[in-house]
Amino acid sequence: MTRHFTDIDDLSAGELATVLDTASELKSQVRRGERESLLERQTLGMVFEKPSTRTRISFETGMTQLGGHAIFLGPDDIGLGEREPLKDTARTLSGYVDCAMVRLFDHEDLETLTAHATIPIVNGLTDDAHPCQTLADLLTIRETVGFDSRVTWVGDGNNVAQSFVLGCALAGIDLTVVTPNDYGIDGSVLERAAELGARPTVTNDPTAAVADADAVYTDVWVSMGEEGGDEKRAAFEEGGFQLNEQLLGETDARVLHCLPAHRGEEITDEVLESDRTLVWRQAENRLHAQKGLLAVLCGAL
Ligand code: CP
Ligand code: NVA
């Protein structure tokens, strides 16, 4: 059966460990100037409905390092859902490429693609989930503060947050999620986390939520394609959800952000540029984590 990666809990805890272990090994090889051609002559199709810096570059570079090739298909190329039905695109792609990574608006479109594709489909972000980001987040946490640390998500209960909740549940990380009341994690995601054995602590008090944290993670308040931005920004600002030195107080918490960051909005320039920051390691780890994922999904291990 074709394995897809629609969200992080498509992997078992054991498979997640394999992906992260492979990522670490491949990262060490790159550091030594080595490249292991695990996906020689394989091709990844990359379909984007939204802009990207990290996802596009890390997947394309990752395929090159693994001895394969990646094809970029932007909004004007494939015209996803416009030139032909999604199921026709899924079947056509399946006849050409070995794997496809897609960045979409509607998560249901991803499900339509996976229902008709006979190649692995990787979620490169939808409005609901960003599991490739979670792989890099977990690799970064494992390399630094460790899985036995306390992590706090502060901000919007968005796509990045939802996959991170599930990833922490799989990895056994003690997670607190602090969001304004109207912008929390979807109840169905909290249920899935509970099924994985670890529902996060959910609050709306940022100061209390970061007080004991070893790492604090945030993301933009208004995501790509989202409407009602002004009202939303006002709610986060009034609620004290900006990640700044005052909020971090006396803690020596490290700071995570998936990027791109809106400095002065959800996070200050001071915090992002401080010794607390893990964000550049986190961004680089997208490359290594996804190479580990592709190796597992494409059967190279
Ligand atoms: N974090 C992330 O996915 O970045 P891009 O939107 O630049 O790909
Ligand atoms: N939540 C953000 C993440 C970008 C990588 C967005 O969807 O725009």
Side-chain angles (χ1 to χ4, degrees):
M1 204 179 83
T2 307
R3 288 293 304 271
H4 301 293
F5 186 63
T6 62
D7 210 337
I8 194 82
D9 56 345
D10 283 343
L11 300 177
S12 66
E15 288 169 329
L16 174 64
T18 302
V19 169
L20 295 180
D21 290 346
T22 306
S24 296
E25 173 55 26
L26 293 172
K27 183 174 181 177
S28 303
Q29 287 179 12
V30 170
R31 290 282 189 273
R32 295 195 298 269
E34 298 165 13
R35 304 278 194 273
E36 194 174 352
S37 297
L38 291 174
L39 300 181
E40 197 167 6
R41 283 194 275 271
Q42 294 208 34
T43 300
L44 174 75
M46 305 190 298
V47 178
F48 285 88
E49 283 188 332
K50 296 176 180 175
S52 167
T53 301
R54 281 144 288 270
T55 303
R56 188 253 167 110
I57 299 172
S58 56
F59 267 106
E60 190 163 337
T61 305
M63 282 304 288
T64 303
Q65 291 185 356
L66 291 170
H69 174 66
I71 304 174
F72 174 77
L73 298 155
D76 293 336
D77 297 315
I78 227 169
L80 202 68
E82 289 170 12
R83 293 187 65 232
E84 57 193 327
L86 286 165
K87 60 184 179 183
D88 292 6
T89 305
R91 287 180 284 209
T92 303
L93 274 173
S94 299
Y96 296 136
V97 299
D98 300 286
C99 182
M101 186 278 299
V102 297
R103 168 165 286 196
L104 309 175
F105 287 96
D106 192 342
H107 196 83
E108 282 182 18
D109 286 349
L110 177 69
E111 284 161 6
T112 304
L113 290 173
T114 57
H116 295 92
T118 55
I119 50 163
I121 303 284
V122 173
N123 181 357
L125 182 147
T126 63
D127 289 346
D128 294 352
H130 196 4
C132 292
Q133 182 64 52
T134 305
L135 289 176
D137 302 340
L138 294 177
L139 185 59
T140 305
I141 289 170
R142 198 172 77 160
E143 288 175 346
T144 56
V145 292
F147 279 179
D148 56 352
S149 60
R150 284 164 299 192
V151 181
T152 296
W153 174 276
V154 53
D156 192 20
N158 63 15
N159 44 9
V160 175
Q162 298 204 135
S163 291
F164 188 64
V165 163
L166 297 170
C168 287
L170 268 180
I173 294 171
D174 179 349
L175 178 67
T176 297
V177 174
V178 56
T179 68
N181 283 335
D182 293 339
Y183 300 104
I185 303 288
D186 197 273
S188 65
V189 173
L190 294 175
E191 286 306 313
R192 277 158 66 194
E195 281 162 24
L196 294 170
R199 209 180 159 95
T201 303
V202 175
T203 88
N204 55 16
D205 177 354
T207 306
V210 306
D212 292 329
D214 300 302
V216 181
Y217 192 171
T218 195
D219 182 20
V220 293
W221 290 341
V222 181
S223 286
M224 290 183 277
E226 211 178 348
E227 291 175 358
D230 289 346
E231 190 187 332
K232 203 172 171 191
R233 277 187 200 92
F236 282 83
E237 212 172 305
E238 282 159 24
F241 283 87
Q242 185 187 65
L243 191 49
N244 54 37
E245 281 299 337
Q246 191 189 344
L247 181 63
L248 289 164
E250 297 303 307
T251 74
D252 55 3
R254 309 302 301 273
V255 164
L256 296 154
H257 193 306
C258 61
L259 302 176
H262 295 164
R263 292 165 192 246
E265 207 166 288
E266 79 277 359
I267 191 167
T268 58
D269 188 62
E270 184 184 17
V271 166
L272 203 51
E273 296 291 343
S274 73
D275 291 343
R276 297 178 183 278
T277 196
L278 292 173
V279 302
W280 313 118
R281 179 192 285 263
Q282 197 182 353
E284 184 193 318
N285 278 341
R286 290 292 303 276
L287 169 67
H288 310 299
Q290 290 158 193
K291 284 170 69 183
L293 175 74
L294 289 171
V296 168
L297 274 188
C298 297
L301 295 180

